Amino acid sequence: MSDVKLDFGRPDRIGLEEAIFCQGKTVQHLATILSLATKERRSFLLTRLSADQYAGLQPEWGAALDYDTLSRTAVFGKTVALTGPARVALVAAGTSDAHVLREAERALAYAGEATTCILDVGVAGLWRLQERLEEIRRHPVVIAVAGMDAAMPTVLGGLLGNVLIGVPTSTGYGVATGGQAALHAMLSSCAPGVPVMNIDNGYGAACAALRVLRALDTAAKAVRHGGG
Amino acid sequence: MSDVKLDFGRPDRIGLEEAIFCQGKTVQHLATILSLATKERRSFLLTRLSADQYAGLQPEWGAALDYDTLSRTAVFGKTVALTGPARVALVAAGTSDAHVLREAERALAYAGEATTCILDVGVAGLWRLQERLEEIRRHPVVIAVAGMDAAMPTVLGGLLGNVLIGVPTSTGYGVATGGQAALHAMLSSCAPGVPVMNIDNGYGAACAALRVLRALDTAAKAVRHGGG
Amino acid sequence: MSDVKLDFGRPDRIGLEEAIFCQGKTVQHLATILSLATKERRSFLLTRLSADQYAGLQPEWGAALDYDTLSRTAVFGKTVALTGPARVALVAAGTSDAHVLREAERALAYAGEATTCILDVGVAGLWRLQERLEEIRRHPVVIAVAGMDAAMPTVLGGLLGNVLIGVPTSTGYGVATGGQAALHAMLSSCAPGVPVMNIDNGYGAACAALRVLRALDTAAKAVRHGGG
Amino acid sequence: MSDVKLDFGRPDRIGLEEAIFCQGKTVQHLATILSLATKERRSFLLTRLSADQYAGLQPEWGAALDYDTLSRTAVFGKTVALTGPARVALVAAGTSDAHVLREAERALAYAGEATTCILDVGVAGLWRLQERLEEIRRHPVVIAVAGMDAAMPTVLGGLLGNVLIGVPTSTGYGVATGGQAALHAMLSSCAPGVPVMNIDNGYGAACAALRVLRALDTAAKAVRHGGG
Amino acid sequence: MSDVKLDFGRPDRIGLEEAIFCQGKTVQHLATILSLATKERRSFLLTRLSADQYAGLQPEWGAALDYDTLSRTAVFGKTVALTGPARVALVAAGTSDAHVLREAERALAYAGEATTCILDVGVAGLWRLQERLEEIRRHPVVIAVAGMDAAMPTVLGGLLGNVLIGVPTSTGYGVATGGQAALHAMLSSCAPGVPVMNIDNGYGAACAALRVLRALDTAAKAVRHGGG
Amino acid sequence: MSDVKLDFGRPDRIGLEEAIFCQGKTVQHLATILSLATKERRSFLLTRLSADQYAGLQPEWGAALDYDTLSRTAVFGKTVALTGPARVALVAAGTSDAHVLREAERALAYAGEATTCILDVGVAGLWRLQERLEEIRRHPVVIAVAGMDAAMPTVLGGLLGNVLIGVPTSTGYGVATGGQAALHAMLSSCAPGVPVMNIDNGYGAACAALRVLRALDTAAKAVRHGGG
Amino acid sequence: MSDVKLDFGRPDRIGLEEAIFCQGKTVQHLATILSLATKERRSFLLTRLSADQYAGLQPEWGAALDYDTLSRTAVFGKTVALTGPARVALVAAGTSDAHVLREAERALAYAGEATTCILDVGVAGLWRLQERLEEIRRHPVVIAVAGMDAAMPTVLGGLLGNVLIGVPTSTGYGVATGGQAALHAMLSSCAPGVPVMNIDNGYGAACAALRVLRALDTAAKAVRHGGG
Amino acid sequence: MSDVKLDFGRPDRIGLEEAIFCQGKTVQHLATILSLATKERRSFLLTRLSADQYAGLQPEWGAALDYDTLSRTAVFGKTVALTGPARVALVAAGTSDAHVLREAERALAYAGEATTCILDVGVAGLWRLQERLEEIRRHPVVIAVAGMDAAMPTVLGGLLGNVLIGVPTSTGYGVATGGQAALHAMLSSCAPGVPVMNIDNGYGAACAALRVLRALDTAAKAVRHGGG
């Protein structure tokens, strides 16, 4: 079972790098992957890297990993300088959703994209969202992160025409435990055109945003080169 | 199995009349109940009386039943004149929720309470709710009816300090089918102090409102008679 | 992600203070919030503050926090003297539900409301509830807390006309694990007009009770000032 | 696929006759079974025989079938005279549960056992159950039938030491749709020793009662013949 | 919240003593209950007493508690000598179900009833059940304990006419996690008349058996005193 | 949307022909497909062809379709003569499962494979299965079809070493409604090595059997040509 | 309840027109809405307009409604000429998913956007998708529609870097009934950055696509006016 | 409860040895079983033997157990030399599924069967599967292991005619938590004839493969001895 196989061709194929999903992998699996990446001179984003897994890797690989506890992500082998204005707004209903927002922020930063992060704009205190609305509107892509009843993306989707991606979180208890209530609320949103990621999938939302940003770049380029 | 037993003592006991829940009862069961009520000179509200059940009862009992198709309710043996200002606001997110709102309206009217009904104030078009906010605020009790993602009660609960009761509806499709998404969203609401009824239970919400109105009457009476 | 945003305007808006829901927040998040509250001279109720989180806060903030282990709540920056008779009865089916009852008790006390707490009146031993019935009846608002099959609120709702709010608890095992059986039983109650909170949501039930008490105060005041 | 195989040996083996569960069988399947029974001079109880299936059988087999619409059962080839006192009390919370109660009644009658049927003793009107309690107590076996929140068996189980069997029904709507809420409430009952049948399974409850009655007969016989 | 209220009248009322369900209770709650019982000279069975709870009680109450690790039960204040032949057979499909079987065994022993315990008779190795069939048949009441697909009670119910009570267990993984698959299989059993307890509810099965044994005793007594 | 695209290459690729899954297709869709097949001189098995869809096709295509009501399958454009002994035994627990068994029988016949069909061998009457055991054993592949508690495949899997494929059916009510109880029971079977198809998927089971038969043919051929 | 309130301001606010979701509305509700739209000289897309609802509207409004049976949509008051190349590819795994694809096609056409529709590219016959891959790649936005196991979007997402939106459909039976299996598979996709709509929500996918197209237009315009 | 009963006759009956399923068994249970096996000179495979259980057994039995941490399996009392070519390919979508693949590998090795193990061929990077396709095809039986959306078996089943067995894994989060999404996707696969095991049931898949291999051996033997 030594044949770990990484998808190094993914960036060329779809413009997105493979990230290492660490849940369910042993420390030995992860070490094998990092060795392979080192050999191939590749960098990686690691997601869902638990504190325990990180501790297991640290003696050998700690120096090469930029680990973030809140989002349980690590960057391996790459330093990215963010330039240009933020094109993605990351908006979370509560502080308890911050780990998901951070995962998206880190994944976008890894891909070179700056972001604007806005916490605590849940609609039970509507003025907080209204106060930041114009700032949010300036970003072509908005990622709306919310747990519990996840009412915020519906309000946002009715106020903004931006590209909007919903990420339900597992924040909550009782019927909200695990995030199913938030997921179902987002999927049933009365606001039109708000697609949704899996629960707590900040990384996936970042990738969805990157697909849109790539399309925007392509569109702009086409005009510049004589299209449109 | 002829011993149908009605709870005629309920009004004296708790100030609320028993309603006849018709789902699952045969037309013969219902006719027996109406005969019994006639003999005892009682009136009744019938809920969940399907068009088919009503058609079966009509030859004999049609004249005595004030039937409403939308809410599937019928009033038997009573005419109530509503006086005084509405103390309950019935607020629905969409027109598709109207049948539940109507059931609550009919149950409150049966108990002598006028209501204010407001449709189509879902928060995907936030201005509609904001436009009616001051009108809603004037009612001590507000019943918020919503299906799909049921985001409206959260926004309302964050803007008003009134007594607020949520009623999820079965409006929706996919993950919202049957109203579970709306129920779970309401139960997980970030707005504080919004208790929730079973899906589509407009009648129950009316009864909950009546309990509050009775308490208000008692409080006012206590003051008038030298209390407070 | 430093912009934690508290809803300080909530009391003026709806008469209820924001509580800090601590689940999912890091100790650092919580410390930031407490600093902010200190700066703004605000007090807070903290809910779902785990023993671990409390231990993390203790070195710096322990003296300022009145922590209760059973309910996992803490009061920050406020001492309230309760005066006047209890207007809310807190009634629990079993001792295993005590933590939820206590959360409601603490939230009401924080808002200045005295309560009467009654444990162990599950209806498998019906006499226990019957023995306390008249005492319960004297409170305008009753919060009924029960896990497992949650049969007690149905019996209570058939015997009392008071405002009644149900809180299902996660007490139980097998099909009752997590409180879904209790929640569904309460929502399906044959007793009329008993709205329900999310599982274990004692805080929410307290807020719902406060909404009713505020309405009672307003009604009484209106009479005193020439209404009614 | 002509080899329908009936379990004619069941009565000798376990003292209970096989019943024909008609759901999902074609009219042709049923006709084959009735022919076979005729040839073997056997009688049968048919359960879940829909009105449509019965209509399909009627031309050829109608005269031989004693069909009951409410319970969707038919007796084939047998007339039983019931003698002796009722040893099983069938108790239902509401009239909407009558079809399940009737199925149990019919199955017990088919086996020669008289029953006492009591409707409408749901505990939201507690006095109705209390009024009949002593009558119920006289039966060694009690079958408690209830839908929605199914609180009645818990109250009954706390008041009586009789053998008690719960049958949840599909009566209800919203979270009670299909009977899961009633089933889960019964399984989670705080009253000790109340086993439960599948939703709407009146026939199964009758068989469980028959197993107990057979044991009672055996115990009595043992004493008479010098045991105990 | 000091008013813990025990149901000391239960034995007189229904012939079954209250057991203390320890899950969700603090050690302090349990100590209060044991003090109360001591004062009233009562004995108790404690169920779901975790190792941690027991450790907390041990310094003060250890000597008075007969604790069993496998079933997490303790007997307080009573020693029962079992006499007479076993009237209940406890039959489990696998060794992994032994903790549930033991809970039933302990609860029956507490009530003075001897039992026959048979492990490892799952029907994937059918001969094991067949080998013990005649032995099982000699007991008027059989409790069948099984997890995973819970096929054994169906086979047993088709071979024996005894009173049969099913107890699904949480043994299993994947779709069997938590015991829902076993519960649903038992409730859907093709064998007639096998009522079912909540998942892992060995105590409840024991109580259900006791209800039957009491009825058998009453029937025998009636004959002895001139009945039958 | 005229570009219906059939997978004509499937037989060459994997040795199995595509079947037309008719559920959710309009009559016009189906007619287009049949025209295409006619043009390409292809034959097809149609599955889940409802009586209504068949009626819609009949005027134009009725003569070309060999329709079977019970299994809702039709054969288009092919007559197969079955030769050789049956290599697959189709075994169903009850007559209510016959439609699923028939779907598998028809799909295997379409592929040229004879089958042995055995109904009514549910293990609540164990002797029926035991009576046919040696006959079943003679088939290299056994498809076990069962609804409700689906206990039969477990017993069979413990008695036979044959290739065994389970098919749960939607037969049943209450918790068995829709076949989830049967599916979960089969997946949790204590008998080793019994893989399972989707609920009511007789066609899929036939295909799984065909994959095994092809492997058997290949193995035999290999020996004949000098292998093994 | 006459105050139906439409969100006529939505296009100005977010660039998307409100569509009338017809499920749960009475014919009278719909007629009121159409009258209102006529008065305000507005056009509308109606979604989930059942054949029965359409038949009820036809006498008065039939001429004004362009109804499509497959997608259950109608256009009211508008004719749009599509110009320019298709910028959205609509890709469905099977013909049974065609109604959802058509709903998206109609909603995009209503907004003036041409589309390319590709049916029957499910990955059980991989070559069909591979054959169309380059054609699909030419569209900046791809909507992938699939039921049952919904494996196609994962394969597509791994081959293309385009903006990709998944729509699960309710096509399927057994565990796929209602589309939950497809929804969960899409949400759990291993392909990065594929957000998902509610089951069967073709309209929502169209709106999500429109949000992206608007962003592309804005980006292109910015370049043309001196940006980038 | 000392009568642990092992199914030593299983190999003779069905050609498969009983494995000891360790979950839910105490260390004492396991020690009893190992003693019994020693006495009877039997060997065993132990599955789901947790690290804690293994640690408990180690002092006495460690030397006799060949324990594998990843798969949580141990071989007791047997050393098998694998000869001949691998007839089963074990194919996993990701490294996180390796523990399930290993369990199957160990179970097959215990039965003397060599296997080919292939990791990381998830179809989000389709080329990885395509690269290994011909190698996979050479094995008569293929076990496809996948979590999350489990799309790989569908693609594989459309490309290969081999005997194919699906094993969903619990790898994933959000809606994939616990493996239900993978299970449902596999059961709903559009590829024909792919039966499925319970979640994470690598052992069961190995047994299913062994049933096929035994049938192949029998078929080959039959030819050699003059059949076919």
Side-chain angles (χ1 to χ4, degrees), chain A residues 1 21 23 26 61-62 82 92 96 115 140 148 165 169 172 177 196:
Chain A
M1 226 177 331
F21 174 72
Q23 184 187 306
T26 61
W61 299 97
L82 302 183
S96 299
T115 49
M148 299 173 99
I165 299 160
T169 73
T177 305
V196 179

Side-chain angles (χ1 to χ4, degrees), chain G residues 108-202:
Chain G
L108 283 161
Y110 179 84
E113 293 291 338
T115 49
T116 304
C117 293
I118 299 174
L119 274 183
D120 277 329
V121 290
V123 292
L126 193 59
W127 61 274
R128 298 181 296 189
L129 183 63
Q130 289 169 322
E131 209 178 67
R132 309 294 291 270
L133 202 60
E134 291 319 305
E135 181 184 359
I136 296 170
R137 198 193 300 275
R138 282 194 292 272
H139 302 78
V141 181
V142 180
I143 294 175
V145 179
M148 299 173 98
D149 60 343
M152 182 262 281
T154 290
V155 173
L156 206 54
L159 293 172
L160 299 178
N162 306 35
V163 177
L164 192 50
I165 299 160
V167 189
T169 73
S170 53
T171 303
Y173 59 92
V175 298
T177 304
Q180 294 273 352
L183 171 67
H184 291 169
M186 282 194 190
L187 286 167
S188 310
S189 176
C190 301
V194 186
V196 179
M197 307 307 303
N198 194 2
I199 298 160
D200 288 341
N201 190 5

Side-chain angles (χ1 to χ4, degrees), chain C residues 123-124 126 130 148-149 151 154-155 158-159 175-176 181 184-185 187-191, chain D residues 123-124 126 130 148-149 151 154-155 158-159 175-176 181 184-185 187-191:
Chain C
V123 292
L126 193 59
Q130 289 170 321
M148 298 172 99
D149 59 343
T154 289
V155 173
L159 293 171
V175 297
H184 291 169
L187 287 168
S188 309
S189 176
C190 302
Chain D
V123 292
L126 193 60
Q130 289 170 322
M148 299 172 99
D149 59 343
T154 289
V155 173
L159 293 172
V175 297
H184 290 169
L187 285 168
S188 308
S189 175
C190 300

Side-chain angles (χ1 to χ4, degrees), chain F residues 63-89:
Chain F
L65 290 167
D66 164 20
Y67 186 62
D68 174 65
T69 311
L70 182 62
S71 61
R72 293 180 298 153
T73 53
V75 174
F76 175 79
K78 187 180 185 176
T79 313
V80 183
L82 303 182
T83 59
R87 295 195 290 174
V88 182

Side-chain angles (χ1 to χ4, degrees), chain F residues 152-210:
Chain F
M152 183 262 280
T154 290
V155 173
L156 205 54
L159 293 172
L160 298 178
N162 307 36
V163 176
L164 193 50
I165 299 159
V167 189
T169 73
S170 52
T171 304
Y173 59 92
V175 297
T177 306
Q180 294 273 351
L183 172 66
H184 291 169
M186 281 194 190
L187 286 168
S188 309
S189 176
C190 302
V194 187
V196 180
M197 308 307 303
N198 194 3
I199 299 160
D200 288 341
N201 190 4
Y203 167 73
C207 291
L210 287 170

